[in-house]
Coordinates of all heavy atoms in Angstrom, one line a residue:
L1 N 13.4 5.1 -2.4 CA 12.7 5.6 -1.3 C 11.4 4.7 -1.0 O 11.2 4.4 0.2 CB 12.2 7.0 -1.4 CG 11.6 7.7 -0.2 CD1 12.5 7.6 1.0 CD2 11.3 9.2 -0.5
C2 N 10.7 4.3 -2.0 CA 9.6 3.4 -1.8 C 10.0 2.1 -1.2 O 9.4 1.6 -0.3 CB 8.9 3.1 -3.2 SG 8.2 4.6 -3.9
G3 N 11.1 1.5 -1.7 CA 11.6 0.3 -1.2 C 12.1 0.4 0.2 O 11.9 -0.5 1.0
L4 N 12.7 1.5 0.6 CA 13.2 1.8 1.9 C 12.0 1.8 2.9 O 12.0 1.1 4.0 CB 14.0 3.1 2.0 CG 14.4 3.5 3.4 CD1 15.5 2.5 3.9 CD2 15.0 4.9 3.4
L5 N 10.9 2.5 2.5 CA 9.7 2.6 3.4 C 9.1 1.2 3.5 O 8.7 0.8 4.6 CB 8.7 3.6 2.8 CG 9.1 5.1 2.9 CD1 8.1 5.9 2.2 CD2 9.2 5.5 4.4
N6 N 9.0 0.5 2.4 CA 8.4 -0.8 2.4 C 9.2 -1.8 3.3 O 8.6 -2.5 4.1 CB 8.3 -1.4 1.0 CG 7.3 -2.4 0.9 OD1 6.1 -2.2 1.1 ND2 7.7 -3.6 0.5
G7 N 10.5 -1.7 3.2 CA 11.4 -2.5 4.1 C 11.3 -2.2 5.6 O 11.3 -3.1 6.4
L8 N 11.2 -0.9 5.9 CA 11.2 -0.5 7.3 C 9.9 -0.7 7.9 O 9.8 -1.1 9.1 CB 11.6 1.0 7.4 CG 13.0 1.4 7.2 CD1 13.1 2.9 7.2 CD2 13.9 0.8 8.3
F9 N 8.8 -0.4 7.2 CA 7.5 -0.4 7.8 C 6.6 -1.5 7.3 O 5.4 -1.6 7.8 CB 6.8 1.0 7.6 CG 7.6 2.1 8.1 CD1 8.1 3.1 7.3 CD2 8.0 2.2 9.5 CE1 8.9 4.1 7.7 CE2 8.7 3.2 9.9 CZ 9.2 4.2 9.1
G10 N 7.0 -2.3 6.4 CA 6.1 -3.3 5.8 C 5.1 -2.8 4.8 O 4.5 -3.6 4.1
S11 N 5.1 -1.5 4.6 CA 4.3 -0.9 3.6 C 4.6 0.6 3.7 O 5.5 1.0 4.4 CB 2.8 -1.1 3.8 OG 2.4 -0.4 5.0
G12 N 3.9 1.4 2.9 CA 4.2 2.8 3.0 C 4.8 3.4 1.7 O 4.9 4.6 1.6
G13 N 5.3 2.5 0.9 CA 5.9 3.0 -0.4 C 4.9 3.8 -1.2 O 5.3 4.7 -2.0
G14 N 3.7 3.4 -1.2 CA 2.6 4.1 -2.0 C 2.5 5.5 -1.6 O 2.1 6.4 -2.5
V15 N 2.8 5.9 -0.4 CA 2.7 7.3 0.1 C 3.7 8.1 -0.7 O 3.4 9.3 -1.0 CB 3.0 7.4 1.6 CG1 3.1 8.8 2.0 CG2 1.9 6.6 2.4
V16 N 4.8 7.5 -1.1 CA 5.8 8.2 -1.9 C 5.5 8.0 -3.4 O 5.6 9.0 -4.2 CB 7.2 7.8 -1.6 CG1 8.2 8.3 -2.5 CG2 7.5 8.1 -0.1
A17 N 5.2 6.8 -3.8 CA 5.0 6.5 -5.2 C 3.9 7.2 -5.9 O 4.0 7.7 -7.0 CB 4.8 4.9 -5.4
V18 N 2.7 7.3 -5.2 CA 1.6 7.9 -5.9 C 1.8 9.4 -6.2 O 1.6 9.8 -7.4 CB 0.3 7.7 -5.0 CG1 -0.9 8.6 -5.6 CG2 -0.1 6.3 -5.0
P19 N 2.3 10.2 -5.3 CA 2.6 11.6 -5.6 C 3.7 11.7 -6.7 O 3.6 12.6 -7.6 CB 3.0 12.2 -4.3 CG 2.4 11.4 -3.3 CD 2.4 10.0 -3.8
L20 N 4.7 10.9 -6.7 CA 5.7 10.9 -7.7 C 5.2 10.6 -9.1 O 5.5 11.2 -10.1 CB 6.9 10.0 -7.4 CG 7.8 10.5 -6.2 CD1 8.8 9.4 -5.9 CD2 8.5 11.8 -6.6
L21 N 4.3 9.5 -9.1 CA 3.7 9.2 -10.4 C 2.8 10.2 -10.9 O 2.8 10.5 -12.1 CB 3.0 7.8 -10.2 CG 3.9 6.6 -10.0 CD1 3.1 5.4 -9.6 CD2 4.7 6.3 -11.3
E22 N 2.0 10.8 -10.0 CA 1.1 11.9 -10.4 C 1.9 13.1 -10.9 O 1.5 13.8 -11.8 CB 0.2 12.3 -9.3 CG -0.9 11.3 -9.1 CD -1.9 11.6 -8.0 OE1 -1.8 12.7 -7.4 OE2 -2.9 10.9 -7.9
S23 N 3.0 13.4 -10.3 CA 3.8 14.5 -10.8 C 4.5 14.3 -12.1 O 4.9 15.2 -12.8 CB 4.9 14.9 -9.7 OG 5.9 13.9 -9.8
S24 N 4.5 13.0 -12.6 CA 4.9 12.7 -13.9 C 3.8 12.7 -14.9 O 3.9 12.1 -16.0 CB 5.6 11.3 -13.9 OG 6.6 11.2 -13.0
N25 N 2.7 13.4 -14.6 CA 1.5 13.6 -15.4 C 0.8 12.3 -15.7 O 0.1 12.1 -16.7 CB 1.9 14.2 -16.8 CG 2.4 15.6 -16.5 OD1 1.9 16.3 -15.7 ND2 3.4 16.0 -17.3
L26 N 0.9 11.3 -14.8 CA 0.1 10.1 -14.9 C -1.2 10.4 -14.1 O -1.2 10.9 -13.0 CB 0.9 8.9 -14.2 CG 0.4 7.5 -14.5 CD1 0.4 7.2 -16.0 CD2 1.2 6.5 -13.8
E27 N -2.3 10.0 -14.7 CA -3.6 10.2 -14.1 C -3.7 9.5 -12.8 O -3.1 8.5 -12.6 CB -4.8 9.9 -15.0 CG -4.9 8.4 -15.3 CD -6.1 8.0 -16.2 OE1 -5.9 8.1 -17.4 OE2 -7.1 7.7 -15.6
P28 N -4.5 10.0 -11.8 CA -4.6 9.5 -10.4 C -4.8 8.0 -10.4 O -4.2 7.3 -9.6 CB -5.7 10.3 -9.8 CG -5.6 11.6 -10.5 CD -5.3 11.3 -11.9
K29 N -5.8 7.5 -11.2 CA -6.1 6.1 -11.1 C -5.0 5.2 -11.6 O -4.7 4.2 -11.0 CB -7.4 5.8 -11.9 CG -8.6 6.4 -11.2 CD -9.9 6.1 -12.0 CE -11.1 6.7 -11.2 NZ -12.3 6.5 -11.9
K30 N -4.3 5.6 -12.6 CA -3.2 4.9 -13.1 C -2.0 5.0 -12.1 O -1.2 4.0 -12.0 CB -2.7 5.4 -14.5 CG -3.7 4.9 -15.6 CD -3.1 5.2 -17.0 CE -4.0 4.7 -18.0 NZ -3.5 4.9 -19.4
S31 N -1.9 6.1 -11.4 CA -0.8 6.3 -10.4 C -1.0 5.3 -9.3 O -0.1 4.6 -8.9 CB -0.8 7.7 -9.9 OG -0.5 8.6 -10.9
H32 N -2.3 5.2 -8.8 CA -2.6 4.2 -7.7 C -2.3 2.8 -8.2 O -1.7 2.0 -7.5 CB -4.0 4.4 -7.2 CG -4.2 5.7 -6.4 ND1 -4.0 5.7 -5.0 CD2 -4.5 6.9 -6.8 CE1 -4.2 6.9 -4.6 NE2 -4.5 7.7 -5.6
A33 N -2.8 2.4 -9.4 CA -2.6 1.1 -9.9 C -1.2 0.7 -10.1 O -0.7 -0.3 -9.7 CB -3.4 0.9 -11.2
T34 N -0.4 1.7 -10.7 CA 1.0 1.5 -10.9 C 1.7 1.3 -9.6 O 2.6 0.5 -9.4 CB 1.6 2.6 -11.7 OG1 0.9 2.7 -12.9 CG2 3.1 2.4 -12.0
S35 N 1.3 2.1 -8.6 CA 1.9 2.1 -7.3 C 1.7 0.7 -6.6 O 2.6 0.1 -6.0 CB 1.3 3.1 -6.4 OG 1.7 3.0 -5.0
V36 N 0.5 0.1 -6.8 CA 0.2 -1.2 -6.3 C 1.1 -2.2 -6.9 O 1.7 -3.1 -6.2 CB -1.3 -1.6 -6.5 CG1 -1.5 -3.0 -6.1 CG2 -2.1 -0.7 -5.6
A37 N 1.3 -2.1 -8.2 CA 2.2 -3.1 -8.9 C 3.7 -3.0 -8.4 O 4.3 -4.0 -8.1 CB 2.2 -2.9 -10.4
L38 N 4.1 -1.7 -8.2 CA 5.4 -1.5 -7.7 C 5.6 -2.0 -6.3 O 6.6 -2.7 -5.9 CB 5.7 0.1 -7.7 CG 7.0 0.5 -7.0 CD1 8.2 0.1 -7.8 CD2 7.0 2.0 -6.9
I39 N 4.6 -1.7 -5.4 CA 4.7 -2.2 -4.0 C 4.6 -3.7 -3.9 O 5.2 -4.3 -3.1 CB 3.5 -1.5 -3.2 CG1 3.7 0.0 -3.2 CG2 3.5 -2.1 -1.8 CD1 5.0 0.5 -2.7
F40 N 3.9 -4.3 -4.9 CA 3.8 -5.8 -4.9 C 5.2 -6.4 -5.1 O 5.6 -7.3 -4.3 CB 2.9 -6.3 -6.0 CG 2.9 -7.7 -6.3 CD1 2.4 -8.6 -5.3 CD2 3.5 -8.3 -7.4 CE1 2.4 -10.0 -5.5 CE2 3.5 -9.6 -7.6 CZ 3.0 -10.5 -6.7
L41 N 5.9 -5.8 -6.1 CA 7.3 -6.3 -6.3 C 8.2 -6.0 -5.1 O 9.1 -6.9 -4.7 CB 7.8 -5.8 -7.6 CG 7.1 -6.2 -8.9 CD1 7.6 -5.5 -10.1 CD2 7.2 -7.7 -9.1
L42 N 8.1 -4.8 -4.6 CA 8.9 -4.5 -3.4 C 8.6 -5.4 -2.2 O 9.5 -5.8 -1.4 CB 8.7 -3.0 -3.0 CG 9.2 -2.0 -4.1 CD1 8.8 -0.6 -3.6 CD2 10.7 -2.1 -4.3
S43 N 7.3 -5.7 -2.1 CA 6.9 -6.6 -1.0 C 7.5 -8.0 -1.1 O 7.8 -8.6 -0.1 CB 5.4 -6.7 -0.9 OG 4.9 -5.4 -0.5
I44 N 7.6 -8.5 -2.3 CA 8.2 -9.8 -2.6 C 9.7 -9.7 -2.1 O 10.1 -10.6 -1.4 CB 8.1 -10.2 -4.0 CG1 6.6 -10.6 -4.4 CG2 9.0 -11.4 -4.3 CD1 6.4 -10.8 -5.8
A45 N 10.4 -8.7 -2.5 CA 11.8 -8.5 -2.1 C 11.9 -8.4 -0.6 O 12.8 -9.0 0.0 CB 12.4 -7.3 -2.8
T46 N 11.0 -7.6 0.0 CA 11.1 -7.5 1.5 C 10.8 -8.8 2.2 O 11.4 -9.2 3.2 CB 10.0 -6.4 1.9 OG1 10.4 -5.2 1.2 CG2 10.1 -6.2 3.4
T47 N 9.8 -9.5 1.7 CA 9.4 -10.8 2.2 C 10.6 -11.8 2.2 O 10.9 -12.5 3.2 CB 8.2 -11.4 1.5 OG1 7.1 -10.6 1.6 CG2 7.9 -12.8 2.1
L48 N 11.3 -11.8 1.1 CA 12.5 -12.7 0.9 C 13.6 -12.3 1.9 O 14.2 -13.2 2.5 CB 13.0 -12.7 -0.5 CG 12.1 -13.4 -1.5 CD1 12.6 -13.2 -2.9 CD2 11.9 -14.9 -1.2
S49 N 13.8 -11.0 2.1 CA 14.8 -10.5 3.0 C 14.4 -10.9 4.4 O 15.3 -11.4 5.2 CB 14.9 -9.0 2.9 OG 15.8 -8.5 3.8
Y50 N 13.2 -10.7 4.8 CA 12.8 -11.1 6.2 C 12.8 -12.6 6.4 O 13.2 -13.1 7.4 CB 11.4 -10.6 6.5 CG 11.3 -9.1 6.8 CD1 10.3 -8.4 6.3 CD2 12.3 -8.5 7.6 CE1 10.2 -7.0 6.6 CE2 12.2 -7.2 7.8 CZ 11.2 -6.4 7.4 OH 11.1 -5.1 7.6
L51 N 12.5 -13.4 5.3 CA 12.5 -14.8 5.4 C 13.9 -15.3 5.6 O 14.2 -16.2 6.5 CB 11.9 -15.4 4.1 CG 11.8 -16.9 4.1 CD1 10.9 -17.5 5.2 CD2 11.3 -17.4 2.7
L52 N 14.9 -14.8 4.8 CA 16.3 -15.2 5.0 C 16.8 -14.8 6.3 O 17.7 -15.4 6.8 CB 17.1 -14.6 3.8 CG 16.8 -15.1 2.4 CD1 17.5 -14.4 1.4 CD2 17.1 -16.6 2.4
G53 N 16.3 -13.7 6.9 CA 16.8 -13.3 8.2 C 16.0 -13.9 9.4 O 16.2 -13.5 10.5
D54 N 15.2 -14.9 9.1 CA 14.4 -15.6 10.1 C 13.5 -14.6 10.9 O 13.5 -14.8 12.1 CB 15.3 -16.4 10.9 CG 14.5 -17.5 11.7 OD1 13.5 -18.0 11.2 OD2 14.9 -17.9 12.8
K55 N 12.9 -13.6 10.3 CA 12.1 -12.7 11.0 C 10.7 -12.7 10.5 O 9.9 -11.8 10.7 CB 12.7 -11.2 10.7 CG 14.1 -11.0 11.1 CD 14.2 -10.0 12.1 CE 15.6 -9.7 12.5 NZ 16.2 -10.5 13.4
L56 N 10.3 -13.8 9.9 CA 8.9 -13.9 9.3 C 8.2 -15.0 10.0 O 8.7 -16.1 10.2 CB 9.1 -14.2 7.8 CG 7.8 -14.2 7.0 CD1 7.1 -12.9 7.0 CD2 8.1 -14.6 5.6
D57 N 6.9 -14.7 10.4 CA 6.1 -15.7 11.1 C 4.9 -16.0 10.1 O 3.9 -15.3 10.0 CB 5.5 -15.1 12.4 CG 4.6 -16.0 13.2 OD1 4.3 -17.1 12.6 OD2 4.2 -15.7 14.3
F58 N 5.2 -17.1 9.3 CA 4.1 -17.5 8.3 C 2.8 -17.9 9.0 O 1.8 -17.7 8.5 CB 4.7 -18.6 7.4 CG 5.3 -18.1 6.2 CD1 6.7 -18.4 6.0 CD2 4.7 -17.4 5.2 CE1 7.3 -18.0 4.9 CE2 5.3 -17.0 4.1 CZ 6.6 -17.3 3.9
G59 N 2.9 -18.5 10.2 CA 1.7 -19.0 10.8 C 0.7 -17.8 11.1 O -0.5 -17.9 10.9
L60 N 1.3 -16.7 11.5 CA 0.4 -15.5 11.8 C 0.0 -14.9 10.5 O -1.2 -14.4 10.3 CB 1.2 -14.5 12.6 CG 0.4 -13.3 13.1 CD1 -0.8 -13.8 14.0 CD2 1.3 -12.4 13.9
S61 N 0.9 -14.8 9.5 CA 0.6 -14.1 8.3 C -0.5 -14.8 7.5 O -1.4 -14.1 6.8 CB 1.8 -13.9 7.4 OG 2.3 -15.1 7.0
W62 N -0.6 -16.1 7.5 CA -1.6 -16.8 6.7 C -3.0 -16.5 7.2 O -4.0 -16.6 6.4 CB -1.4 -18.3 6.8 CG -0.2 -18.8 6.0 CD1 0.9 -19.3 6.4 CD2 -0.1 -18.7 4.5 NE1 1.8 -19.6 5.4 CE2 1.2 -19.2 4.2 CE3 -0.9 -18.2 3.5 CZ2 1.7 -19.2 2.9 CZ3 -0.4 -18.2 2.2 CH2 0.9 -18.7 1.9
Q63 N -3.2 -16.1 8.5 CA -4.5 -15.7 9.0 C -5.0 -14.4 8.3 O -6.2 -14.2 8.2 CB -4.4 -15.5 10.5 CG -4.1 -16.7 11.3 CD -3.9 -16.3 12.8 OE1 -4.4 -15.4 13.3 NE2 -3.1 -17.2 13.5
Y64 N -4.1 -13.5 7.9 CA -4.5 -12.2 7.4 C -4.6 -12.2 5.8 O -5.2 -11.3 5.3 CB -3.6 -11.1 7.9 CG -3.7 -11.0 9.4 CD1 -2.9 -11.6 10.3 CD2 -4.8 -10.2 9.9 CE1 -3.0 -11.4 11.6 CE2 -4.9 -10.1 11.3 CZ -4.0 -10.7 12.1 OH -4.2 -10.5 13.5
I65 N -3.9 -13.1 5.2 CA -3.8 -13.1 3.7 C -5.2 -13.1 3.0 O -5.4 -12.3 2.1 CB -2.8 -14.2 3.2 CG1 -1.4 -13.8 3.6 CG2 -3.0 -14.4 1.7 CD1 -0.4 -14.9 3.3
P66 N -6.1 -14.0 3.4 CA -7.4 -14.0 2.8 C -8.1 -12.7 2.8 O -8.7 -12.2 1.9 CB -8.2 -15.1 3.5 CG -7.2 -16.0 4.1 CD -6.0 -15.1 4.4
Y67 N -8.0 -12.0 4.0 CA -8.7 -10.7 4.1 C -8.0 -9.6 3.3 O -8.7 -8.8 2.7 CB -8.7 -10.3 5.6 CG -9.4 -11.2 6.5 CD1 -8.7 -12.0 7.4 CD2 -10.7 -11.4 6.4 CE1 -9.3 -12.9 8.2 CE2 -11.4 -12.3 7.3 CZ -10.7 -13.1 8.1 OH -11.3 -14.0 8.9
G68 N -6.7 -9.7 3.2 CA -6.0 -8.8 2.3 C -6.3 -9.0 0.8 O -6.5 -8.0 0.1
I69 N -6.5 -10.2 0.4 CA -6.9 -10.5 -1.0 C -8.3 -10.0 -1.2 O -8.6 -9.3 -2.3 CB -6.8 -12.0 -1.3 CG1 -5.3 -12.4 -1.3 CG2 -7.5 -12.4 -2.6 CD1 -5.1 -13.9 -1.4
I70 N -9.2 -10.2 -0.3 CA -10.6 -9.7 -0.5 C -10.6 -8.2 -0.5 O -11.2 -7.6 -1.4 CB -11.5 -10.2 0.7 CG1 -11.7 -11.7 0.6 CG2 -12.8 -9.5 0.7 CD1 -12.3 -12.4 1.8
G71 N -9.8 -7.5 0.3 CA -9.7 -6.1 0.3 C -9.1 -5.6 -1.0 O -9.6 -4.5 -1.5
A72 N -8.1 -6.3 -1.5 CA -7.5 -5.9 -2.7 C -8.5 -5.9 -3.9 O -8.5 -5.0 -4.8 CB -6.3 -6.7 -3.0
V73 N -9.2 -7.0 -4.0 CA -10.2 -7.1 -5.0 C -11.3 -6.0 -4.9 O -11.6 -5.4 -5.9 CB -10.9 -8.5 -5.0 CG1 -12.1 -8.6 -6.0 CG2 -9.8 -9.6 -5.4
I74 N -11.8 -5.8 -3.7 CA -12.8 -4.7 -3.5 C -12.2 -3.4 -3.9 O -12.9 -2.6 -4.6 CB -13.3 -4.7 -2.1 CG1 -14.1 -6.0 -1.8 CG2 -14.2 -3.5 -1.8 CD1 -14.5 -6.2 -0.4
G75 N -11.0 -3.1 -3.5 CA -10.3 -1.8 -3.8 C -10.1 -1.7 -5.3 O -10.4 -0.6 -5.8
A76 N -9.8 -2.7 -6.0 CA -9.6 -2.6 -7.5 C -10.9 -2.3 -8.2 O -10.9 -1.6 -9.1 CB -8.9 -3.9 -8.0
V77 N -12.0 -3.0 -7.7 CA -13.3 -2.7 -8.3 C -13.7 -1.3 -8.0 O -14.2 -0.6 -8.9 CB -14.3 -3.8 -7.8 CG1 -15.7 -3.4 -8.2 CG2 -14.0 -5.2 -8.3
L78 N -13.6 -0.8 -6.8 CA -14.0 0.5 -6.4 C -13.2 1.6 -7.1 O -13.7 2.6 -7.5 CB -13.9 0.7 -4.9 CG -14.9 0.0 -4.1 CD1 -14.6 0.2 -2.6 CD2 -16.3 0.5 -4.4
L79 N -11.9 1.3 -7.4 CA -11.0 2.3 -8.0 C -11.6 2.7 -9.4 O -11.5 3.8 -9.8 CB -9.6 1.7 -8.2 CG -8.6 2.7 -8.8 CD1 -8.4 3.9 -8.0 CD2 -7.3 2.0 -9.1
K80 N -12.2 1.7 -10.1 CA -12.7 2.0 -11.4 C -14.0 2.9 -11.3 O -14.3 3.6 -12.3 CB -13.2 0.7 -12.1 CG -12.0 -0.3 -12.4 CD -12.6 -1.6 -12.9 CE -11.5 -2.6 -13.1 NZ -11.9 -3.9 -13.5
K81 N -14.6 2.9 -10.2 CA -15.9 3.7 -10.1 C -15.8 5.0 -9.3 O -16.7 5.8 -9.4 CB -16.9 2.8 -9.3 CG -17.2 1.5 -10.0 CD -18.1 0.6 -9.3 CE -18.3 -0.7 -10.1 NZ -19.4 -1.5 -9.6
I82 N -14.7 5.2 -8.6 CA -14.5 6.5 -7.8 C -14.0 7.6 -8.7 O -13.0 7.4 -9.4 CB -13.5 6.2 -6.7 CG1 -14.1 5.2 -5.7 CG2 -13.2 7.5 -5.9 CD1 -13.2 4.8 -4.6
P83 N -14.6 8.8 -8.7 CA -14.0 9.9 -9.4 C -12.7 10.3 -8.9 O -12.4 10.1 -7.7 CB -15.0 11.0 -9.2 CG -16.2 10.4 -8.5 CD -15.8 9.1 -8.0
N84 N -11.8 10.9 -9.7 CA -10.4 11.2 -9.3 C -10.4 12.2 -8.2 O -9.6 12.1 -7.3 CB -9.7 11.8 -10.5 CG -9.3 10.8 -11.6 OD1 -9.2 9.6 -11.3 ND2 -9.1 11.2 -12.8
S85 N -11.3 13.1 -8.1 CA -11.4 14.1 -7.0 C -11.6 13.4 -5.7 O -11.0 13.8 -4.7 CB -12.4 15.2 -7.3 OG -13.7 14.6 -7.4
L86 N -12.5 12.5 -5.7 CA -12.8 11.7 -4.5 C -11.7 10.8 -4.1 O -11.3 10.7 -2.9 CB -14.1 10.9 -4.6 CG -14.5 10.1 -3.4 CD1 -14.7 11.0 -2.2 CD2 -15.8 9.3 -3.7
L87 N -11.0 10.2 -5.1 CA -9.9 9.4 -4.8 C -8.8 10.2 -4.2 O -8.1 9.7 -3.2 CB -9.4 8.8 -6.2 CG -8.2 7.8 -6.1 CD1 -8.5 6.6 -5.2 CD2 -7.8 7.4 -7.5
R88 N -8.5 11.4 -4.6 CA -7.5 12.2 -4.0 C -7.8 12.5 -2.5 O -7.0 12.5 -1.7 CB -7.3 13.5 -4.8 CG -6.5 13.3 -6.0 CD -6.2 14.7 -6.6 NE -5.4 14.5 -7.8 CZ -5.7 14.9 -9.0 NH1 -6.8 15.5 -9.2 NH2 -4.9 14.7 -10.0
R89 N -9.1 12.8 -2.3 CA -9.5 13.1 -0.9 C -9.4 11.9 0.0 O -8.9 12.0 1.1 CB -10.9 13.6 -0.9 CG -11.1 15.0 -1.4 CD -12.5 15.5 -1.2 NE -12.6 16.8 -1.8 CZ -13.5 17.2 -2.7 NH1 -14.3 16.3 -3.2 NH2 -13.5 18.4 -3.2
I90 N -9.8 10.7 -0.5 CA -9.6 9.5 0.3 C -8.2 9.2 0.6 O -7.8 8.9 1.7 CB -10.3 8.3 -0.4 CG1 -11.8 8.5 -0.5 CG2 -10.0 7.0 0.2 CD1 -12.5 7.5 -1.4
F91 N -7.3 9.3 -0.4 CA -5.9 9.1 -0.3 C -5.3 10.0 0.8 O -4.6 9.6 1.7 CB -5.2 9.2 -1.6 CG -3.7 8.8 -1.5 CD1 -3.3 7.5 -1.3 CD2 -2.7 9.8 -1.7 CE1 -2.0 7.2 -1.2 CE2 -1.4 9.5 -1.7 CZ -1.0 8.2 -1.4
G92 N -5.7 11.3 0.7 CA -5.2 12.3 1.7 C -5.7 12.0 3.1 O -4.9 12.1 4.0
G93 N -6.9 11.5 3.2 CA -7.5 11.2 4.5 C -6.8 10.0 5.1 O -6.5 9.9 6.3
V94 N -6.5 9.0 4.3 CA -5.8 7.8 4.7 C -4.3 8.2 5.2 O -3.9 7.7 6.2 CB -5.7 6.7 3.6 CG1 -4.7 5.6 4.0 CG2 -7.1 6.1 3.4
M95 N -3.7 9.1 4.4 CA -2.4 9.5 4.8 C -2.4 10.3 6.2 O -1.5 10.1 7.0 CB -1.8 10.4 3.7 CG -1.3 9.6 2.5 SD -0.6 10.6 1.2 CE 0.4 11.8 1.9
L96 N -3.4 11.1 6.3 CA -3.5 11.9 7.6 C -3.8 10.9 8.8 O -3.3 11.1 9.9 CB -4.7 12.9 7.5 CG -4.3 14.1 6.6 CD1 -5.6 15.0 6.5 CD2 -3.2 14.9 7.2
F97 N -4.7 9.9 8.5 CA -5.0 8.9 9.6 C -3.8 8.2 10.0 O -3.5 7.9 11.1 CB -6.1 8.0 9.1 CG -6.4 6.9 10.1 CD1 -7.1 7.2 11.2 CD2 -6.0 5.6 9.8 CE1 -7.4 6.2 12.1 CE2 -6.3 4.6 10.7 CZ -7.0 4.9 11.9
A98 N -3.0 7.7 8.9 CA -1.8 7.0 9.2 C -0.8 7.9 10.0 O -0.2 7.4 11.0 CB -1.1 6.5 7.9
A99 N -0.6 9.1 9.7 CA 0.2 10.0 10.4 C -0.2 10.2 11.8 O 0.6 10.2 12.8 CB 0.3 11.4 9.7
F100 N -1.5 10.3 12.0 CA -2.1 10.5 13.4 C -1.8 9.2 14.2 O -1.4 9.4 15.4 CB -3.6 10.7 13.3 CG -4.3 10.9 14.6 CD1 -4.2 12.0 15.4 CD2 -5.0 9.8 15.1 CE1 -4.8 12.1 16.6 CE2 -5.6 9.9 16.3 CZ -5.5 11.1 17.1
R101 N -2.0 8.1 13.6 CA -1.7 6.8 14.4 C -0.3 6.7 14.8 O 0.0 6.3 15.9 CB -2.1 5.6 13.5 CG -3.6 5.2 13.6 CD -3.8 3.9 13.0 NE -3.2 2.9 13.7 CZ -2.6 1.7 13.2 NH1 -2.7 1.5 12.0 NH2 -2.1 0.9 14.0
I102 N 0.6 7.1 13.9 CA 2.0 7.0 14.2 C 2.4 8.0 15.3 O 3.1 7.7 16.2 CB 2.9 7.3 12.9 CG1 2.7 6.1 12.0 CG2 4.3 7.5 13.3 CD1 3.3 6.4 10.6
M103 N 1.8 9.2 15.3 CA 2.1 10.2 16.3 C 1.6 9.8 17.6 O 2.1 10.2 18.7 CB 1.5 11.6 15.9 CG 2.0 12.1 14.5 SD 3.6 12.8 14.7 CE 3.2 14.4 15.0
M104 N 0.5 9.1 17.7 CA -0.1 8.7 19.0 C 0.5 7.5 19.6 O 0.2 7.2 20.8 CB -1.6 8.4 18.8 CG -2.4 9.7 18.4 SD -2.3 10.9 19.7 CE -1.6 12.3 18.9
K105 N 1.4 6.8 18.9 CA 2.1 5.6 19.5 C 3.3 6.0 20.3 O 4.0 6.9 20.2 CB 2.4 4.6 18.5 CG 1.2 3.9 18.0 CD 1.5 2.7 17.1 CE 0.2 2.0 16.8 NZ 0.4 0.7 16.2

């Protein structure tokens, strides 16, 4: 399911992976970190699929990669400092915001 969401939307697998990992009694921070590792591998597979199908615009993507890397580093540093209860609220808020954006399009 994570791979399907990642392939269809370019991301979104974490929305499924994090709750599944947490239901397996993995602590929230490890669930988020494990989800990122999972999504990384799924993103590589998705990228190759889009590349082989000639649906990838590297010129445009290179403009955003540095910002994504900076955001990833900041997120990894903040994850260590955020309490689990706040992390759950932030994750829930991001999911609600994403759902709202999708509904408004």
Side-chain angles (χ1 to χ4, degrees):
L1 186 56
C2 295
L4 177 68
L5 290 173
N6 202 61
L8 284 173
F9 304 118
S11 66
V15 172
V16 174
V18 170
L20 286 174
L21 291 167
E22 285 183 357
S23 71
S24 301
N25 295 323
L26 195 61
E27 67 179 86
K29 289 181 182 179
K30 284 189 178 183
S31 295
H32 285 271
T34 303
S35 172
V36 169
L38 173 67
I39 300 305
F40 172 70
L41 295 174
L42 294 174
S43 293
I44 290 172
T46 302
T47 300
L48 291 174
S49 174
Y50 284 140
L51 183 62
L52 293 174
D54 198 31
K55 304 240 184 276
L56 187 62
D57 183 349
F58 269 117
L60 186 60
S61 66
W62 287 116
Q63 296 174 24
Y64 295 98
I65 289 173
Y67 301 109
I69 291 171
I70 292 167
V73 170
I74 292 170
V77 170
L78 288 177
L79 182 65
K80 296 175 188 175
K81 299 177 182 194
I82 295 175
N84 288 338
S85 59
L86 180 58
L87 182 61
R88 283 189 176 120
R89 288 187 181 123
I90 293 170
F91 185 68
V94 169
M95 287 178 42
L96 289 173
F97 176 74
F100 178 77
R101 276 193 64 216
I102 290 170
M103 300 283 269
M104 292 298 120
K105 286 191 175 193

